[in-house]
Amino acid sequence: MLNIKGLKVKLEDEDKVILKGLDLDVPAGAVHAIMGPNGSGKSTLSYVLSGRAGYEVTGGSATLDGIDLLDMAPEDRAAAGLFLAFQYPVEIPGVGNMTFLRTAVNSQRKARGEEEMSATEFLKTIRAKAKTLKINADMLKRPVNVGFSGGEKKRNEILQMAMLEPKMCILDETDSGLDVDAMKLVSEGVNALRDEGRSFLVITHYQRLLDHIKPDVVHILANGRIVKTGGPELALEVENNGYADILAEVS
Amino acid sequence: MSGTPQKSNRSLASLNALLSGMELPESGPWAQAARADALTRLNVVGLPARRDEYWLFSRPDTLIQPEPVTAPLFKDADDAAVFSDIDQLQLVFNDGVFDADASDDLALAGVEISRLADVSAGDNHWATGLYGVLETNGQSPVSRPLAILNTAFAPDGILIRVTGKAGRPIGLKYNQVSENSDAMLHHVVQVEAGATLTLLENGGGAARLNTVLEVDVADGAAFNHVRAQGRNHERRAATHIFARLGAESVFKSFTLTANGALTRNECVVDVLGDNAIAHIAGAAVGDGDFHHDDTVFITHDSLNCESRQVFKKVLRNGATGVFQGKILVKPGAQKTDGYQKSQALLLDGDSQFLAKPELEIYADDVACSHGSTSGAIDDGALFYLQSRGVPLGLAQDLMVLAFMADALQEIEDEDIAEDIRSHLEAWLVRRRD
């Protein structure tokens, strides 16, 4: 599904290299987790894959089902099936949550040459999905993320994911800012979307999230590279011992 | 600045040049005294000049030169006109000349409608107490010579007296039919106690258009005004609204300006009765040769009144936006709640927004403030929209419409607001990169 080879990325405005030849392969239906110390390049990876400005790719490739992601505009990557759940979801005053989601769903459908979703079908679908995520009608009406609590913002991200039905979901520290109950709710939302045709890349600092969203594979990202790959037990090792042992072992 | 007795030779020369060949138009005898008085006043204050502080940000030259700048007719408007779906009594002016055939009958329940140009009107016309009167009141502390010029010389206009709830909106449609037209219209509206009226104005009207609207909103009355200033890129306009508000009255005015080489919209509101509400709003979108100036002066002289100024401008390719907004709270006007918001969205580095918000307050128990900002579209929000699959152009339009939303919220009628919104959206779609 997602195939990254030797990806090298620097900041556009300064001479700072962040990813230094990153290799990653997430097969269809798999859940992979990436853990790593602060500044290792986790968020950069999610932004570069989704097409945020400010980064320059100096080498390597990233493909989604064989299609080159790095040459595409962000909206085309989304239409191709890529989704990033933001660490800090953006507030957009003046744009209603419903309008936003309906525009997004139908823009993607249009880009893929599919029929647009009717207003009635959209309403029916979003109401059902919002209910399972405990998102009330008021949150749907309000401007995107404006006045939402941290937990509401993350639930809204998962609602967008559920509505857009992407193939490849990247979750960038979705657990940050969540209390135990909210984390459970968000995780249930993610787990409900697990499917043999859908892959997940879960970026997190803490093993805790991985108790709820159980990964098939755990990668350790340090200094711009994947330095170790293992099973769920690798996350436990990080939780218990920190990164020092692993980093010492691979250096 | 106001009524300077010592005018320069240059100022006198430009006034003489403009007035040469102009004669006070014929209208009902009731208006002649006001016209003669206006001409006298104009000779005292002279025309606006560049050195005037009130014209610091907008050059008056093309508004006062004898011949208007040529404005080729705007042709490619294939979409429905603004307000075309709104049920209204429509009155049509072509280059400022009333078109009786194209207009509806001047008959509407709850309203008396007549024309300024009607010479048969007798001496005791109700408009005598307002024509040129509210305009004169609005000349202090700042003079507004183009309005004085209008009172003296406007050949026509609509006189509306509202005695009940007007059956439907009155719509004034201004067509431009020749590329050198120079039009002046002067309307007077009296909304009597407890009565309500919605007034619509639509169109560029002429290569150069000068309008004055005097509105008296009596106790408990409501006046809603929504205006769209046409799509001709070359046209120039100077407009004035002078409003006087009684107790418990409501005055709301919204203006959409899309295109136009030069627009100066002045709005002067005197809040005289207690518990009155005055909201003045505008959305202006300009691309290229576009200079748009909102100049507002609200005087609070009564208790417990509310005023709002909400002006939004979206500018690109060198367009310029100006806001001069003042709230004057007179001694004793306690519990005044006044707020002015003027914001510009600059879509590129070539455009500019010049704002001069002013508060002058002589009462100690009031809440008055202003917020003036200029900035670009938030990149973070744009990327967020794109990352959800919304194409860049559409994402930008969503952000621009969101930016203008609170100005549009000032429009009382939802159908009219939606009509304005859809025309703004169409303007944006035509300019998608």
Side-chain angles (χ1 to χ4, degrees):
Chain A
M1 173 81 65
L2 179 66
N3 205 275
I4 303 173
K5 283 200 183 83
L7 186 63
K8 292 181 182 169
V9 172
K10 67 181 273 291
L11 289 182
E12 216 166 57
D13 291 340
E14 43 188 303
D15 248 357
K16 190 173 173 191
V17 181
I18 300 186
L19 298 183
K20 300 171 180 171
L22 183 142
D23 297 299
L24 185 67
D25 196 9
V26 186
V31 176
H32 283 211
I34 290 189
M35 302 180 79
N38 290 326
S40 57
K42 301 189 299 294
S43 286
T44 294
L45 175 62
S46 70
Y47 286 143
V48 167
L49 291 176
S50 54
R52 187 178 181 136
Y55 301 96
E56 188 184 331
V57 176
T58 55
S61 67
T63 58
L64 183 67
D65 277 343
I67 307 167
D68 182 8
L69 279 176
L70 302 177
D71 264 357
M72 298 164 92
E75 56 265 39
D76 297 332
R77 301 182 196 202
L82 186 76
F83 182 92
L84 169 65
F86 281 54
Q87 182 181 1
Y88 303 109
V90 180
E91 296 185 7
I92 313 183
V95 178
N97 214 7
M98 285 278 233
T99 311
F100 160 64
L101 262 168
R102 189 157 170 241
T103 308
V105 167
N106 282 335
S107 294
Q108 290 203 12
R109 289 188 166 213
K110 210 170 149 190
R112 290 193 293 258
E114 298 165 9
E115 202 175 319
E116 293 187 20
M117 207 186 241
S118 74
T120 340
E121 190 191 350
F122 176 81
L123 264 179
K124 210 174 124 192
T125 316
I126 196 168
R127 278 190 186 138
K129 294 191 191 240
K131 202 173 165 194
T132 62
L133 286 161
K134 294 191 178 158
I135 289 175
N136 60 30
D138 180 52
M139 275 173 69
L140 290 177
K141 267 190 237 155
R142 287 206 311 245
V144 181
N145 293 325
V146 175
F148 286 29
S149 71
E152 286 174 336
K153 283 181 182 171
K154 296 298 171 79
R155 264 146 58 199
N156 202 28
E157 293 292 289
I158 306 304
L159 174 66
Q160 293 167 38
M161 193 192 286
M163 287 302 294
L164 294 168
E165 299 181 322
K167 287 193 284 197
M168 179 72 227
C169 309
I170 303 171
L171 279 64
D172 187 7
E173 298 197 26
T174 292
D175 49 339
S176 71
L178 291 187
D179 62 30
V180 182
D181 293 333
M183 176 144 33
K184 210 172 153 215
L185 197 60
V186 163
S187 304
E188 281 167 6
V190 172
N191 288 332
L193 290 169
R194 287 182 73 158
D195 180 275
E196 60 185 26
R198 182 173 292 130
S199 312
F200 290 85
L201 186 60
V202 181
I203 296 171
T204 182
H205 271 293
Y206 302 106
Q207 194 270 336
R208 207 172 39 173
L209 178 67
L210 304 180
D211 282 343
H212 297 287
I213 306 173
K214 295 203 166 19
D216 303 306
V217 177
V218 175
H219 306 275
I220 305 298
L221 177 61
N223 196 21
R225 284 189 195 90
I226 301 291
V227 293
K228 191 166 182 181
T229 296
E233 74 286 348
L234 190 52
L236 279 170
E237 190 188 328
V238 169
E239 184 78 5
N240 294 331
N241 306 331
Y243 291 109
D245 291 355
I246 295 169
L247 296 185
E249 178 189 322
V250 298
S251 67
Chain B
M1 161 170 67
S2 63
T4 319
Q6 298 294 319
K7 291 192 306 292
S8 71
N9 290 334
R10 198 160 160 240
S11 168
L12 273 177
S14 65
L15 181 61
N16 289 335
L18 179 65
L19 297 187
S20 84
M22 284 176 82
E23 282 179 25
L24 293 185
E26 280 189 43
S27 54
W30 61 271
Q32 291 310 324
R35 290 189 187 282
D37 176 65
L39 187 54
T40 307
R41 287 185 287 127
L42 187 60
N43 275 298
V44 173
V45 302
L47 290 171
R50 229 191 150 201
R51 59 171 192 280
D52 293 347
E53 193 189 335
Y54 219 47
W55 288 88
L56 196 62
F57 301 131
S58 300
R59 298 192 67 144
D61 314 41
T62 55
L63 297 172
I64 60 173
Q65 67 195 35
E67 297 299 325
V69 179
T70 299
L73 301 184
F74 186 75
K75 287 226 166 58
D76 54 337
D78 48 1
D79 52 342
V82 183
F83 308 139
S84 54
D85 290 337
I86 307 296
D87 181 35
Q88 61 190 287
L89 181 142
Q90 194 174 59
L91 305 171
V92 179
F93 291 88
N94 300 321
D95 286 344
V97 178
F98 185 68
D99 183 341
D101 293 339
S103 300
D104 293 328
D105 286 340
L106 306 185
L108 182 62
V111 185
E112 260 176 57
I113 308 171
S114 56
R115 283 174 47 209
L116 175 60
D118 181 0
V119 291
S120 68
D123 276 340
N124 298 318
H125 200 286
W126 61 263
T128 315
L130 294 174
Y131 187 88
V133 174
L134 300 188
E135 175 263 295
T136 303
N137 292 344
Q139 298 293 333
S140 169
V142 187
S143 70
R144 305 169 197 279
L146 295 172
I148 308 178
L149 177 75
N150 182 296
T151 297
F153 290 102
D156 206 353
I158 300 294
L159 312 172
I160 302 169
R161 177 153 69 159
V162 193
T163 52
K165 187 179 185 312
R168 50 185 173 147
I170 294 175
L172 308 179
K173 177 81 171 71
Y174 306 139
N175 298 318
Q176 183 192 347
V177 293
S178 83
E179 59 180 31
N180 292 309
S181 50
D182 194 12
M184 243 187 250
L185 290 168
H186 193 122
H187 312 298
V188 178
V189 178
Q190 178 161 36
V191 192
E192 297 198 337
T196 61
L197 175 74
T198 295
L199 179 70
L200 309 174
E201 290 182 276
N202 179 31
R208 181 168 68 182
L209 178 68
N210 176 329
T211 64
V212 166
L213 169 64
E214 291 176 290
V215 190
D216 181 49
V217 191
D219 294 354
F223 176 74
N224 288 300
H225 174 235
V226 183
R227 166 168 69 172
Q229 298 189 289
R231 280 172 54 192
N232 192 330
H233 293 272
E234 314 288 333
R235 62 124 191 98
R236 286 167 163 77
T239 78
H240 290 81
I241 298 171
F242 297 94
R244 181 168 72 189
L245 273 59
E248 321 263 336
S249 69
V250 177
F251 170 90
K252 285 194 168 184
S253 176
F254 173 92
T255 300
L256 166 69
T257 313
N259 308 340
L262 175 61
T263 309
R264 165 91 160 197
N265 292 331
E266 296 194 27
C267 187
V268 184
V269 178
D270 281 341
V271 186
L272 300 184
D274 295 344
N275 304 306
I277 292 173
H279 287 204
I280 302 128
V285 287
D287 182 1
D289 186 13
F290 175 87
H291 184 104
H292 184 268
D293 177 334
D294 283 304
T295 291
V296 180
F297 200 115
I298 298 182
T299 303
H300 282 278
D301 198 6
S302 52
L303 293 174
N304 201 32
C305 291
E306 171 186 298
S307 70
R308 294 283 178 274
Q309 299 168 48
V310 184
F311 289 94
K312 302 279 182 142
K313 297 178 204 282
V314 176
L315 307 166
R316 53 182 269 167
N317 288 325
T320 297
V322 174
F323 173 79
Q324 304 189 95
K326 176 152 180 171
I327 303 173
L328 169 62
V329 180
K330 291 214 169 168
Q334 303 295 7
K335 304 286 180 192
T336 290
D337 172 5
Y339 181 62
Q340 55 173 224
K341 182 192 259 186
S342 60
Q343 297 181 316
L345 193 59
L346 307 177
L347 298 184
D348 54 44
D350 300 330
S351 303
Q352 62 171 341
F353 178 52
L354 306 160
K356 190 172 77 166
E358 286 181 282
L359 306 175
E360 189 175 336
I361 301 170
Y362 297 101
D364 58 5
D365 186 14
V366 302
C368 282
S369 56
H370 68 82
S372 190
T373 63
S374 57
I377 293 182
D378 178 1
D379 282 342
L382 265 189
F383 174 65
Y384 191 67
L385 288 166
Q386 284 181 278
S387 78
R388 297 309 183 238
V390 182
L392 181 62
L394 179 55
Q396 278 171 334
D397 290 356
L398 273 177
M399 297 295 295
V400 171
L401 287 170
F403 167 76
M404 288 191 288
D406 48 357
L408 268 66
Q409 267 166 17
E410 293 294 334
I411 301 172
E412 187 75 12
D413 182 286
E414 279 184 23
D415 291 337
I416 295 175
E418 181 51 35
D419 190 37
I420 294 284
R421 204 197 70 87
S422 68
H423 280 87
L424 273 172
E425 191 174 358
W427 188 93
L428 292 168
V429 168
R430 286 192 294 273
R431 280 161 183 80
R432 260 186 210 161
D433 295 323

